[in-house]
């Protein structure tokens, strides 16, 4: 039995459909990440689950029970937003205690739960500090302690690290992941940032145009995006149209030559129109002549990035592709690159 089940949720604003048939489950101890462009309806899904918004159709089940009629406070779900929403006139302790007082807990129990929650986020020494005196990262930790203190059955995090700089985001993201695992709290994490989603999720749900267009582990989704749109969303912009010349092995002819492709997303027939995606990490400078899987161009720019060089290559017809190469190649040099069949995705042109 799934802990949480969302079944066929639809929602529109001003006659504009925002969510169309959203269905997914969250299992025990699982962190599910809703990933998609801003404005796509991710927060609206969280608000519907929390009971702060009603869906036009569809249902929300908790342990097989329809909770649509249960008010937000009785659902015992924790919510945490990007803007922390801490109370500026209260100190750290009072901010964390707020939800507990609403539950009419005894003072002793409140004190105990606040101390426990602050210890979890490494903020015990800040108990009496004013929240306005804290840094962004510290405020974010207090907000997390406040969401955790009532021991929610489900934690929902809406772009919780969005206001922080990248280094802090990575550090707190790793801490958050450890905390969710340790506490065994099922969680739904919303973000538009793929790196953040990859680092935190057990399972990803990618939302596009009101629908969930792909689900899977971060590795599954990134290595096999289900459409050219998803490939672009994951930064795989090297795309070109072509036509199948043989189905097995799959060989596609394009304006840049012929390419064998080992990662077809479906079955293709000879003569079919397709879109090829060259993953940035799949190219190397050609040492030998190849009859296929080769492109020629001129280097526009080569920028060091971690242990590779992000290299922009100008090709025929004003195409510009970007590859991650092992060594730097000076601008304006002509190069020939071999593209490995394993790094080429092939999609039907109707996707
Ligand atoms: P995301 O979390 O993916 O950024 P949201 O769920 O916040 O997306 O909202 C998506 C869009 O839905 C918003 O850009 C807005 O146009 C619309 N929307 C959300 N809430 C309301 C509302 N209460 N009234 C009217 N439009 C809304």
């Amino acid at each position: 039995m799934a802990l949480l089940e969302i079944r066929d949720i639809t929602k529109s604003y001003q006659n504009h459909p925002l969510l169309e048939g959203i269905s997914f489950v969250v299992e025990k101890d699982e962190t599910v990440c809703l990933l998609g462009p801003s404005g796509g309806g991710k927060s609206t899904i969280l608000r519907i689950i929390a009971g702060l918004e009603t869906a036009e159709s569809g249902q929300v089940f908790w342990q097989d029970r329809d909770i649509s009629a249960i008010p937000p406070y009785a659902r015992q779900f924790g919510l945490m937003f990007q803007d922390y929403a801490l109370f500026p006139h209260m100190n750290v302790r009072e901010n964390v205690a707020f939800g507990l007082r609403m539950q009419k807990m005894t003072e002793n129990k409140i004190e105990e739960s606040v101390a426990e929650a602050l210890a979890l986020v490494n903020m015990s020494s800040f108990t009496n500090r004013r929240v306005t005196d804290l840094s962004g990262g510290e405020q974010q930790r207090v907000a997390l302690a406040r969401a955790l203190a009532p021991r929610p059955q489900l934690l929902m995090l809406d772009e919780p690290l969005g206001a922080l700089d990248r280094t802090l985001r990575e550090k707190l993201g790793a801490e958050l992941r450890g905390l969710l695992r340790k506490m065994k709290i099922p969680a739904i994490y919303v973000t538009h940032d793929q790196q953040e989603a990859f680092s935190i999720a057990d399972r990803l749900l990618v939302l596009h145009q009101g629908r969930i267009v792909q689900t899977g582990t971060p590795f599954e989704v990134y290595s096999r995006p289900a459409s050219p749109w998803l490939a672009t969303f994951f930064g795989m912009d090297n795309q070109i149209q072509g036509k199948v010349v043989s189905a097995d092995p799959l060989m596609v002819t394009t304006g840049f030559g012929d390419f064998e492709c080992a990662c077809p997303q479906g079955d293709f027939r000879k003569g079919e129109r397709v879109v090829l995606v060259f993953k940035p990490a799949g190219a190397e400078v050609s040492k030998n002549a190849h009859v296929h899987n080769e492109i020629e161009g001129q280097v526009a720019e080569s920028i060091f990035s971690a242990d590779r060089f992000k290299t922009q290559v100008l090709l025929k017809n004003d195409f510009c592709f970007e590859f991650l190469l092992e060594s730097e190649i000076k601008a304006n040099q002509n190069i020939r690159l071999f593209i490995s069949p394993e790094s080429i995705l092939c999609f039907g042109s109707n996707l």
Side-chain angles (χ1 to χ4, degrees):
M1 174 181 66
L3 217 46
L4 179 80
E5 184 181 354
I6 314 303
R7 208 179 283 170
D8 213 11
I9 294 281
T10 58
K11 177 82 184 169
S12 46
Y13 288 114
Q14 284 124 22
N15 293 326
H16 178 75
L18 179 65
L19 302 172
E20 298 184 82
I22 299 290
S23 298
F24 65 90
V25 296
V26 179
E27 306 283 356
K28 193 169 162 286
D29 304 344
E30 189 185 31
T31 301
V32 165
C33 192
L34 273 173
L35 171 68
S38 295
K42 303 183 295 299
S43 305
T44 304
I45 294 176
L46 290 196
R47 289 204 303 274
I48 290 170
I49 297 170
L52 302 169
E53 191 92 58
T54 48
E56 274 146 32
S57 62
Q59 292 142 302
V60 179
F61 294 88
W62 179 259
Q63 294 181 324
D64 275 350
R65 180 172 163 222
D66 186 339
I67 57 168
S68 308
I70 297 181
Y73 65 87
R75 295 188 184 192
Q76 293 180 288
F77 296 161
L79 254 174
M80 183 181 156
F81 301 100
Q82 171 176 344
D83 60 5
Y84 323 125
L86 295 175
F87 304 112
H89 58 286
M90 293 182 187
N91 67 12
V92 168
R93 172 195 282 112
E94 286 310 309
N95 263 282
V96 179
F98 184 80
L100 306 174
R101 288 201 202 293
M102 303 294 280
Q103 289 184 347
K104 308 232 178 329
M105 250 184 204
T106 64
E107 277 307 312
N108 277 349
K109 189 84 184 89
I110 288 177
E111 200 63 28
E112 200 181 299
S113 302
V114 168
E116 199 179 78
L118 287 174
L120 277 171
V121 298
N122 294 324
M123 287 292 285
S124 300
S125 55
F126 291 74
T127 311
N128 295 314
R129 289 271 279 275
R130 288 155 56 110
V131 291
T132 44
D133 293 343
L134 303 178
S135 70
E138 289 160 352
Q139 290 192 15
Q140 195 269 356
R141 285 199 165 106
V142 175
L144 184 58
R146 188 177 63 176
L148 291 172
R151 297 208 156 262
Q153 311 191 77
L154 170 77
L155 187 60
M156 292 189 277
L157 304 126
D158 194 350
E159 304 267 5
L161 310 178
L164 307 174
D165 64 56
R166 178 156 285 282
T167 315
L168 199 53
R169 217 153 67 207
E170 281 172 11
K171 183 172 181 296
L172 288 184
E175 279 180 26
L176 188 55
R177 186 183 161 83
L179 202 61
L180 293 173
R181 299 287 181 282
K182 188 166 120 191
M183 296 188 71
K184 297 189 181 301
I185 294 187
I188 307 178
Y189 190 103
V190 157
T191 180
H192 68 278
D193 182 312
Q194 49 158 301
Q195 283 311 327
E196 207 174 303
F198 290 165
S199 66
I200 209 123
D202 292 315
R203 200 154 51 87
L204 284 181
L205 309 173
V206 188
L207 192 68
H208 177 52
Q209 293 183 330
R211 296 178 188 280
I212 292 171
V213 289
Q214 193 168 7
T215 66
T217 64
F219 178 77
E220 286 165 352
V221 173
Y222 186 80
S223 51
R224 287 295 185 107
S227 69
W229 179 86
L230 275 147
T232 305
F233 183 65
F234 290 127
M236 302 172 200
D237 291 324
N238 304 333
Q239 304 191 7
I240 184 166
Q241 295 186 342
K243 198 168 153 186
V244 174
V245 287
S246 96
D248 190 15
L250 181 60
M251 187 68 82
V252 174
T253 189
T254 75
F256 302 152
D258 293 352
F259 294 89
E260 185 185 342
C261 162
C263 300
Q265 302 296 87
D267 295 324
F268 298 102
R269 293 179 321 276
K270 190 174 170 185
E272 200 170 337
R273 299 222 162 264
V274 292
V275 174
L276 294 188
V277 175
F278 301 148
K279 289 189 179 181
E284 61 183 29
V285 175
S286 278
K287 295 189 183 77
N288 310 310
H290 297 89
V291 281
H292 52 72
N293 284 56
E294 227 175 42
I295 57 171
E296 281 185 56
Q298 190 182 50
V299 171
E301 198 172 48
S302 180
I303 301 167
F304 182 65
S305 164
D307 60 348
R308 302 279 191 99
F309 289 84
K310 245 187 216 176
T311 308
Q312 288 193 349
V313 183
L314 295 172
L315 304 157
K316 274 196 277 191
N317 301 329
D318 293 334
F319 274 80
C320 182
F321 282 2
E322 188 172 274
F323 294 103
L324 290 168
L325 301 181
E326 276 181 6
S327 49
E328 184 177 15
I329 299 172
K330 295 269 175 281
N332 301 322
Q333 271 198 35
N334 292 328
I335 52 167
R336 274 188 308 125
L337 294 173
F338 173 72
I339 317 287
S340 77
E342 292 72 30
S343 72
I344 304 179
L345 302 169
C346 180
F347 298 97
S349 56
N350 57 339
L351 282 176

